[in-house]
């Protein structure tokens, strides 16, 4: 397997700086690093981004996440391992990641459940985190970046 090109954010350093800056905002807002990694992993699973599916569990484990929960992220609805806030964040992640799959991409029930667990600033940070991982997924998938080459 070979990448089509270097990651565009590496090829254009200004893009890396911008994406990195955007990526630091959700944690600075107070969102849990583990929650952010669950979001990153779920969006990456949906988008088929092998680089992020390989890398984000490593980051989550360094933050204290368990294998049991990481293995269950793709089936979060059917496992007892996630808090109501994590479930709301994962549902929002799926909706925002799959915007073309339904006529109402982010239904009110999903949004409203998330707002029960996250205040205005946290919701903004969560939406930014979801958008940011989707950008990384699309850069990696489009250019066929190779899983395992990024070792966070």
């Amino acid at each position: 397997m070979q990448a089509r090109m270097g990651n565009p954010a590496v090829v254009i350093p200004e893009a890396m700086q911008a994406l990195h800056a955007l990526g630091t905002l959700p944690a600075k807002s107070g969102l849990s690093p583990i929650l952010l990694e669950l979001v990153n992993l779920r969006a990456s699973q949906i988008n088929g981004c092998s680089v992020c599916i390989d890398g984000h569990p490593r980051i989550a484990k360094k933050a204290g996440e368990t294998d049991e929960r990481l293995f269950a992220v793709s089936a979060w609805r059917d496992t007892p391992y996630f808090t109501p806030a994590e479930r709301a964040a994962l549902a929002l992640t799926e909706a925002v990641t799959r915007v073309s799959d339904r006529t109402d991409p982010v239904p009110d029930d999903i949004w409203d459940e998330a707002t029960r667990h996250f205040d205005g600033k946290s919701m903004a940070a969560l939406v930014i985190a979801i958008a940011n991982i989707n950008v990384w997924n699309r850069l990696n998938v489009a250019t066929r970046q190779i899983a395992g080459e990024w070792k966070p």
Side-chain angles (χ1 to χ4, degrees), residues 38-89:
L38 294 174
V39 164
N40 289 339
L41 179 56
R42 187 64 192 122
S44 300
Q45 289 169 335
I46 293 166
N47 290 323
C49 180
S50 63
V51 171
C52 292
I53 291 169
D54 180 66
H56 285 286
R58 296 173 197 276
I59 297 169
K61 286 189 65 126
K62 288 177 185 174
E65 187 54 273
T66 65
D67 285 339
E68 183 175 57
R69 283 170 36 102
L70 290 171
F71 296 151
V73 167
S74 65
W76 63 268
R77 284 180 182 84
D78 301 318
T79 64
Y81 307 130
F82 303 98
T83 68
E86 290 168 335
R87 290 175 183 283

Side-chain angles (χ1 to χ4, degrees):
M1 211 173 190
Q2 185 175 350
R4 288 179 166 152
M5 63 178 286
N7 186 298
V10 173
V11 173
I12 302 174
E14 295 86 357
M16 178 64 83
Q17 292 168 348
L19 289 170
H20 179 71
L22 185 63
T24 64
L25 296 176
K28 288 180 183 175
S29 77
L31 289 179
S32 155
I34 288 177
L35 173 72
L36 293 170
E37 292 310 319
L38 294 174
V39 164
N40 289 339
L41 179 56
R42 187 64 192 122
S44 300
Q45 289 169 335
I46 293 166
N47 290 323
C49 180
S50 63
V51 171
C52 292
I53 291 169
D54 180 66
H56 285 286
R58 296 173 197 276
I59 297 169
K61 286 189 65 126
K62 288 177 185 174
E65 187 54 273
T66 65
D67 285 339
E68 183 175 57
R69 283 170 36 102
L70 290 171
F71 296 151
V73 167
S74 65
W76 63 268
R77 284 180 182 84
D78 301 318
T79 64
Y81 307 130
F82 303 98
T83 68
E86 290 168 335
R87 290 175 183 283
L90 289 167
L92 184 63
T93 299
E94 289 182 357
V96 172
T97 300
R98 293 179 162 148
V99 293
S100 68
D101 287 356
R102 49 177 103 146
T103 56
D104 184 9
V106 183
D108 288 340
D109 62 325
I110 290 174
W111 184 266
D112 293 345
E113 181 61 21
T115 63
R116 284 191 256 295
H117 301 281
F118 302 97
D119 64 17
K121 185 175 180 181
S122 295
M123 277 295 288
L126 183 56
V127 172
I128 287 170
I130 296 165
N132 193 49
I133 191 60
N134 273 279
V135 169
W136 280 110
N137 291 165
R138 282 151 176 77
L139 293 174
N140 290 331
V141 170
T143 59
R144 293 190 182 153
Q145 297 303 299
I146 308 300
E149 291 186 3
W150 173 53
K151 296 282 190 199

